[in-house]
Amino acid sequence: MGASGAAVDAGRLPLRERKKLRTRQALVDTALELFTAREFDGVTLDELVDSVEVSKRTFFRYFASKEDVAIAAEAQLWQAYLDEFARAEPDGPFLTALRTALISALEGMDADWERRFIATRRLIGRTPALRDHSTLTSFKTQELLVSELETTLGVDSRDDVRLRLLGELALGAWRCGAKNWVRAERHSTRRGTGARASLIQRVEEAFDAIPASLTLCA
Amino acid sequence: MGASGAAVDAGRLPLRERKKLRTRQALVDTALELFTAREFDGVTLDELVDSVEVSKRTFFRYFASKEDVAIAAEAQLWQAYLDEFARAEPDGPFLTALRTALISALEGMDADWERRFIATRRLIGRTPALRDHSTLTSFKTQELLVSELETTLGVDSRDDVRLRLLGELALGAWRCGAKNWVRAERHSTRRGTGARASLIQRVEEAFDAIPASLTLCA
DNA sequence: CAACTTACGCCACTCAGTGGCATATTACAA
DNA sequence: TTGTAATATGCCACTGAGTGGCGTAAGTTG
């Protein structure tokens, strides 16, 4: 199937835009292949850039850093999460809304994303620089969600800590659920259960465990 | 008072060790001065290293990165927090223990630390690279606390999400409470209230608001 | 005052990331 | 079709963080 990647949806865009999408996708796909084969630290940007036949200068017009291109699949998920949450009708506890939007975003990703996401998470698991970058990205997503909450509620998060806490809780649950997911996926006894389903389950369990964790005693 | 810094407690250590402490402290103090005066990005490592009359090679034997030396005051707090929590007797809800240990650590820091910590937080506030690094440091502290919890409870955090959630909650509350602290401190109307007291109050409020945030509705 | 250990300085090097400017390519209008 | 504006790319020189290796200086111990 080659390095097809995320199918480059060319929804009748002007030629220039289609080319940009192609370049971007080529960078993402090639990066993941190279990093998977020879480790993140074992591949220089110049190598990646040569493989795709693009100048280094151009690379930095698409991505802010070497880490960014490596975790592109995660960024895609966060974008979907933000969209999902922005679209959602406010109703009931916000923590539930944050939870539901996250699960919906996960369920809405396509099959090719799943393949790339699994490979990405494996790579992150064995690359300290990427672990840090991935963690930071989840924190930035958290802050964007809080901004969204602010506009929805018309409240400044500086006046109500609860907004920020909601961000910490939602992405915190994600971080807990996602933590050893890929590692556990490897020697998963119950085959047939999709990898994504098990991730969703872990995240749901994390959300469920929040109240109990508050009162966990010695 | 010069660049005295954290008083370099030379508790009758061998000469070599005292020299190392002095060098380390000189790096920390000078870094904070230079970064405060001319911004983190406006000072190169070579400049810092020349000011302290130490080779760059030596610098990296003391600190892992340029960011590390800038947020040394935070690292000190985290070390105190870890010590405090390790010393604490397990009793009652763990979240309370985590909270108490954090507050105790804060209260236990000396006056010179407070001065440096305030300057550091201001610097962090206007330096994206340091914001990221600071966030990551809090996250790593969180993981160390979870390890401590694991040994205390004899439970692997992979088997019980609640341990990791406790880490997220404790440091999450810290992040929320500390967020706009220095900025707010500037135009604080109520003078007399110490800066540290207001930080502690903010963190306490964040911990208090956790239950309410769970049920916050539209 | 030796013999050992440990920290330091120096130097050359890698590599991510940037600024500036010339060039190529696409978009658009006549 | 052709001319022109807009924009993406390439090239090149450069900065600055971080590393490896090795010789030297200083502290430690008998």
Side-chain angles (χ1 to χ4, degrees), chain B:
Chain B
M1 48 158 259
S4 54
V8 186
D9 51 26
R12 265 328 82 180
L13 286 161
L15 174 58
R16 184 182 274 165
E17 295 303 313
R18 272 180 288 156
K19 274 196 170 180
K20 287 209 293 185
L21 279 182
R22 258 190 26 212
T23 305
R24 189 191 169 80
Q25 201 57 45
L27 284 168
V28 168
D29 289 335
T30 312
L32 192 51
E33 280 170 23
L34 290 178
F35 295 158
T36 298
R38 290 163 36 217
E39 298 309 315
F40 183 74
D41 298 309
V43 181
T44 67
L45 266 186
D46 290 291
E47 285 182 83
L48 167 59
V49 148
D50 286 349
S51 305
V52 185
E53 290 181 301
V54 161
S55 76
K56 194 166 63 170
R57 205 67 190 76
T58 294
F59 173 88
F60 284 105
R61 290 190 185 101
Y62 285 87
F63 301 95
S65 69
K66 188 186 175 188
E67 286 79 20
D68 257 22
V69 73
I71 65 163
E74 278 203 353
Q76 231 180 307
L77 174 63
W78 297 139
Q79 191 52 60
Y81 185 14
L82 290 168
D83 292 347
E84 196 74 37
F85 185 68
R87 212 189 332 275
E89 300 290 323
D91 168 49
F94 282 110
L95 188 56
T96 307
L98 285 163
R99 171 181 180 161
T100 309
L102 176 54
I103 303 300
S104 299
L106 270 169
E107 286 169 340
M109 308 303 283
D110 60 62
D112 187 68
W113 171 84
E114 183 173 325
R115 177 185 63 81
R116 291 182 296 119
F117 186 67
I118 292 172
T120 304
R121 292 293 301 193
R122 280 206 234 279
L123 188 62
I124 291 173
R126 55 186 141 92
T127 315
L130 291 181
R131 266 205 298 275
D132 287 355
H133 203 74
S134 169
T135 302
L136 272 178
T137 307
S138 74
F139 191 74
K140 285 174 183 158
T141 304
Q142 176 177 320
E143 289 178 340
L144 291 173
L145 286 170
V146 173
S147 302
E148 182 68 29
L149 273 172
E150 283 182 319
T151 52
T152 306
L153 285 172
V155 177
D156 192 319
S157 66
R158 278 170 293 189
D159 301 326
D160 190 342
V161 242
R162 293 176 300 172
L163 300 199
R164 282 202 197 113
L165 282 169
L166 281 168
E168 290 281 352
L169 286 166
L171 271 295
W174 160 263
R175 287 184 288 264
C176 291
K179 181 104 179 175
N180 290 301
W181 168 59
V182 274
R183 205 184 340 273
E185 242 349 75
R186 263 189 204 293
H187 24 71
S188 167
T189 49
R190 64 221 188 301
R191 280 283 170 223
T193 312
R196 187 186 324 204
S198 83
L199 173 58
I200 289 175
Q201 194 192 326
R202 277 166 171 269
V203 175
E204 299 266 30
E205 283 169 4
F207 273 98
D208 285 333
I210 293 176
S213 71
L214 295 185
T215 56
L216 182 60
C217 283

Side-chain angles (χ1 to χ4, degrees), chain A residues 75-215:
Chain A
Q76 231 180 307
L77 174 63
W78 296 139
Q79 191 52 59
Y81 185 13
L82 290 168
D83 292 346
E84 196 74 38
F85 185 68
R87 213 189 333 276
E89 300 290 324
D91 168 47
F94 282 109
L95 187 56
T96 307
L98 285 163
R99 172 181 179 160
T100 309
L102 176 53
I103 302 299
S104 299
L106 270 169
E107 285 168 341
M109 307 305 282
D110 60 62
D112 187 70
W113 171 84
E114 183 173 326
R115 177 185 63 80
R116 291 181 298 118
F117 186 67
I118 292 172
T120 304
R121 291 293 301 193
R122 282 206 233 279
L123 187 62
I124 290 173
R126 55 187 141 94
T127 314
L130 291 182
R131 264 205 300 275
D132 288 355
H133 204 73
S134 168
T135 303
L136 272 177
T137 309
S138 73
F139 274 102
K140 292 189 175 144
T141 304
Q142 178 176 319
E143 287 175 353
L144 291 173
L145 286 171
V146 173
S147 301
E148 182 68 30
L149 273 173
E150 283 182 318
T151 51
T152 306
L153 285 171
V155 177
D156 191 319
S157 66
R158 277 171 293 189
D159 300 326
D160 189 342
V161 242
R162 293 177 300 173
L163 300 199
R164 284 203 196 112
L165 282 168
L166 281 168
E168 291 281 350
L169 286 166
L171 271 295
W174 160 265
R175 287 186 288 265
C176 291
K179 178 103 181 176
N180 291 300
W181 167 59
V182 274
R183 204 184 341 273
E185 242 348 75
R186 263 189 204 292
H187 22 72
S188 168
T189 50
R190 64 221 189 301
R191 280 280 170 224
T193 312
R196 189 186 322 204
S198 84
L199 174 57
I200 290 175
Q201 195 191 326
R202 277 166 172 269
V203 176
E204 299 265 30
E205 283 168 4
F207 273 99
D208 285 334
I210 292 176
S213 69
L214 295 184
T215 56

